[in-house]
Amino acid sequence: MTKIKNIIAILIFAVVIYACGDDNVLTNPFADVNYEALAASDNDSIVQFLESHYYNATLDSLKPLVSGETAMIDDAARLKTIDVTQNDINYKLYVFVTNEGIPNPTKDFPTKMDSIFVNRKGIELVNNNIDSSPFDQADQTWWSLGTTFGLSGYAPSPIVAWVEGFQRLKSGENVTNNGPLTFQNTGKGYFFIPSGLAYPSINYQLGQTLNPLFDKVLIFQVELLDIVEDTDHDNDGIASINEDADGDGDPTNDFSDTNNPLLPDYLNPNIN
């Protein structure tokens, strides 16, 4: 019996030592991050890039500024600056629209609740340089701008910056003809994203796997191919954007079903 007790004690000690050796289990590696200062630093990095680069329409790419070209920061016709508050911190999202998009049939800009069909490429902005390999790249994928909480049967939800940024683009025209899906006159542009609107470590939970994109400034080159106007997530006949019981413009915070208080109204077919 004494031997069994000793073995159990050793096992418990080993588990404790193992856990203590894993910083992600017992400590928050981001506890000392000043997120307001980080927001300011991120903005400085983005502005520096926009001041020192221009958009080359011929190559459809971003290039270091040269004489005779207009810095992106001064290209008022294309550059949209959006103020976004997240986690009680104010951020600036920069959307550089290279083509607004000409949808056919006619469609409006997507709302914050609509589903979108997109191409995207994501890179990190490091030391005013975007020459690194993409960390993310894919074509013709569906996303739901209205968060779907990872529920099965729904398109995934993107980062906050996408929800705000894609509302500045329009979709194009499906011209597929007995071949692969093909679109023309699509909405195109670049999202310059501070870390707080991408993958902020402020949302980190103990034990969570560390995301290499935590607190990174990102740039997404995007193309909006198509949208589902007035997306109705729960198929109850009411567009998700209109399932806004409190009228604050944000359907994601409306939970009217007392029998299912964790499911927002736009995902709940019993509420319309």
Side-chain angles (χ1 to χ4, degrees), residues 1-13:
M1 180 64 71
T2 301
K3 289 184 177 180
I4 293 176
K5 289 182 178 179
N6 289 340
I7 292 173
I8 292 174
I10 291 172
L11 288 174
I12 293 174
F13 179 75

Side-chain angles (χ1 to χ4, degrees), residues 82-189:
I82 307 165
D83 293 314
V84 182
T85 299
Q86 189 73 3
N87 293 309
D88 296 322
I89 299 173
N90 298 322
Y91 295 94
K92 288 188 181 299
L93 170 67
Y94 297 87
V95 176
F96 193 85
V97 179
T98 58
N99 290 292
E100 183 178 89
I102 306 175
N104 185 21
T106 300
K107 296 182 181 181
D108 206 342
F109 294 98
T111 73
K112 67 193 303 181
M113 301 301 294
D114 284 339
S115 296
I116 58 174
F117 193 49
V118 305
N119 298 335
R120 91 275 185 171
K121 180 173 71 173
I123 54 178
E124 287 185 48
L125 175 58
V126 180
N127 297 325
N128 208 36
N129 190 303
I130 57 170
D131 291 336
S132 59
S133 299
F135 63 81
D136 176 44
Q137 186 169 7
D139 291 338
Q140 299 190 353
T141 55
W142 280 104
W143 296 81
S144 170
L145 295 182
T147 182
T148 52
F149 302 98
L151 296 174
S152 62
Y154 295 101
S157 303
I159 58 177
V160 173
W162 275 33
V163 177
E164 298 294 334
F166 272 109
Q167 294 180 66
R168 274 66 185 181
L169 298 175
K170 290 184 177 181
S171 57
E173 178 183 4
N174 187 337
V175 292
T176 305
N177 183 16
N178 296 322
L181 279 175
T182 305
F183 294 83
Q184 67 181 14
N185 299 324
T186 51
K188 297 181 181 180

Side-chain angles (χ1 to χ4, degrees), residues 20 22 102 174 243 255:
C20 290
D22 187 345
I102 306 175
N174 187 337
E243 297 207 45
F255 302 83

